[in-house]
Structures are given as structure tokens and as C-alpha cells.
Amino acid sequence: MNKLKHLAIIMDGNGRWAQKNGFPRTDGHKKGASVVHEIVTHCRKIGIKALTLYAFSEENWGRPKEEISILMELLLEFMVKERVTMLDNGIHFNPIGTLEKLPDFLKNTLFDLEKETSINAVMELNIALSYSGRQDILNAIKNIISQNNFDTYSITEDFFSQKLSTFNSGDVDLLIRTGGDFRISNFLLWESAYAELFFEQKLWPEFTADDLDRIINNFSQRDRRFGLIKII
Ligand code: IPE
Ligand code: IPE
Ligand code: MG
């Protein structure tokens, strides 16, 4: 049975869910935000050590202003509502991505909540905001180069992983994308090198804790070989 330590989810399909039900796209985001609570709570309950959720990509800045502003408001609402859950359950809220780009009203709450939950160590909750996997790798490279007299021999894979924004969470074991598309859209590129991938047809607003259990059950039965062969 495979051990699931780091789970990553591309929460996709909010817009299509709204369209399918005759609502504006923003209603899809609202419904999607309510699913996040159920999934975070469930992950904490079943003992997942790190959960990384893709909430807003660097590329998503290209969407209409109104849609972006609803998403930012929903994020704020999420933090306000979930604060107690995080404090009571040992969850460290860790926003990752180019956070400087986010509006001030969001940034303050974001940093406060990160600080307030920073001693929590039961579960790491990484929320990817204004996130780009390539940018995260570039930032790590810039960070290493900016340290004077760095020694090229010390730049190992483990050392490099420690320079990424997910340094507390390690490699991704399972990467789920809802919404039926088969791509990773610039998410956790380094960390997912050996992740098991699961592409789920259901749209994010329809996703439930039971769906997650079904996928984890599938994951736990997979043969993760990491390039090796079994010697019988
Ligand atoms: C995912 O849902 C949420 C974000 C990208 C912020 P989408 O808004 O991408 O929904 P679809 O893919 O258009 O259905
Ligand atoms: C990926 O979904 C980003 C998030 C879920 C936040 P997108 O809908 O933005 O990705 P593409 O456009 O399908 O690649
Ligand atoms: Mg999408």
C-alpha cells in the first residue's frame, strides 16, 4: 500500500459547472470555494501531511477583472471562515506563489494567517496563488545565485527542493486534476517528477470527500516503481 504524504489538487471546472447549470461563472467559483472546506477537513481527518491546492495561477491574471475580483474576495472569505479550523486542527496555512501581485486587502490577512498558524505542524496547507511552477523554479535559482560563494557541488536535488516554496512538504505523491482535462497547467513541476497522476472527470464544484477516498484507494493500489524492477 502506497503512503500518501503530499497530495496536490488542481481544482478545475468551476466555470463549466456554472455554465452547465445556467449560472454566471462566478457562481461556479462560489460553489467551488465551499468544496475546499470539505476537502481540507477530510485530508486532515485521514492524516495527510501536506495538501497543496491550486487556487489561482499566474496565467489566471489574464481573465476578466470582475472574475479576478470575485476570486480574491472568495479567498478572503475562505481565510476568515477557516481560521478557527486551522488553529484548532494544527494546520499551517502556507500561501505560495508571487504573492506581491495580490491586492493589499488580501495580502495582509494572508500573511497574518500564515504567521498565526506557523507553529502548527500536523498538516501543511499550501494554497497556490498567483502561482507558476516555472517561476518557482526560477526563484529558487535566483535565490541560490544571490548567495555569495555558492558551491556548485552542494546543489543537489534535495538542496534545490529546499529552495522551492513547498520546501516543507516534499515531493508530491498524488496529483489530482478535476474537470476532465489532461494537463498540469504549470503546477508543481519539480515536485511532481514522480507523482502519480489522476485525471478526474467530475468538475470541482461536484467533487466530494467520497470522490477523494475513491481516488486515494486507486492510488494506494498502484505499483510505484520509481524506475526500479522487483526482485522476486
Ligand atoms: C478553476 O476553474 C478555478 C480557477 C482557475 C481559478 P475554472 O474557472 O478554470 O473553470 P473552467 O475550467 O473554466 O470550467
Ligand atoms: C488551472 O486551471 C489553474 C487552477 C485550477 C487555479 P486553468 O483552468 O487556469 O488551466 P488551463 O487554462 O485549463 O490550463
Ligand atoms: Mg479551468
Side-chain angles (χ1 to χ4, degrees), residues 162-214:
Q162 285 301 306
K163 301 290 173 195
L164 295 170
S165 59
T166 53
F167 66 93
N168 265 334
S169 307
D171 284 347
V172 173
D173 295 300
L174 171 63
L175 172 62
I176 301 172
R177 181 185 186 124
T178 60
D181 282 314
F182 302 97
R183 55 177 170 267
I184 53 175
S185 301
N186 205 2
F187 191 40
L188 303 174
L189 300 179
W190 173 278
E191 300 90 327
S192 297
Y194 250 110
E196 292 297 321
L197 307 178
F198 196 102
F199 296 99
E200 165 67 24
Q201 281 302 317
K202 271 197 176 181
L203 305 165
W204 178 252
E206 300 165 335
F207 197 71
T208 64
D210 284 346
D211 292 318
L212 182 57
D213 283 340
R214 162 176 54 84

Side-chain angles (χ1 to χ4, degrees), residues 95-203:
I96 60 170
T98 310
L99 306 174
E100 308 85 77
K101 282 196 180 177
L102 296 167
D104 287 338
F105 76 89
L106 194 65
K107 263 191 290 196
N108 298 337
T109 314
L110 211 63
F111 296 138
D112 286 350
L113 188 56
E114 191 285 318
K115 217 192 265 164
E116 207 178 359
T117 58
S118 61
I119 50 154
N120 292 351
V122 183
M123 185 172 103
E124 191 75 8
L125 174 61
N126 304 309
I127 302 281
L129 295 169
S130 189
Y131 178 87
S132 148
R134 284 186 170 179
Q135 195 56 55
D136 209 44
I137 291 171
L138 277 182
N139 288 343
I141 294 170
K142 288 179 191 170
N143 176 304
I144 294 167
I145 291 175
S146 69
Q147 287 158 9
N148 284 334
N149 307 322
F150 70 88
D151 158 21
T152 40
Y153 292 100
S154 67
I155 308 174
T156 60
E157 291 187 6
D158 285 342
F159 174 86
F160 194 79
S161 297
Q162 285 301 306
K163 301 290 173 195
L164 295 170
S165 59
T166 53
F167 66 93
N168 265 334
S169 307
D171 284 347
V172 173
D173 295 300
L174 171 63
L175 172 62
I176 301 172
R177 181 185 186 124
T178 60
D181 282 314
F182 302 97
R183 55 177 170 267
I184 53 175
S185 301
N186 205 2
F187 191 40
L188 303 174
L189 300 179
W190 173 278
E191 300 90 327
S192 297
Y194 250 110
E196 292 297 321
L197 307 178
F198 196 102
F199 296 99
E200 165 67 24
Q201 281 302 317
K202 271 197 176 181
L203 305 165

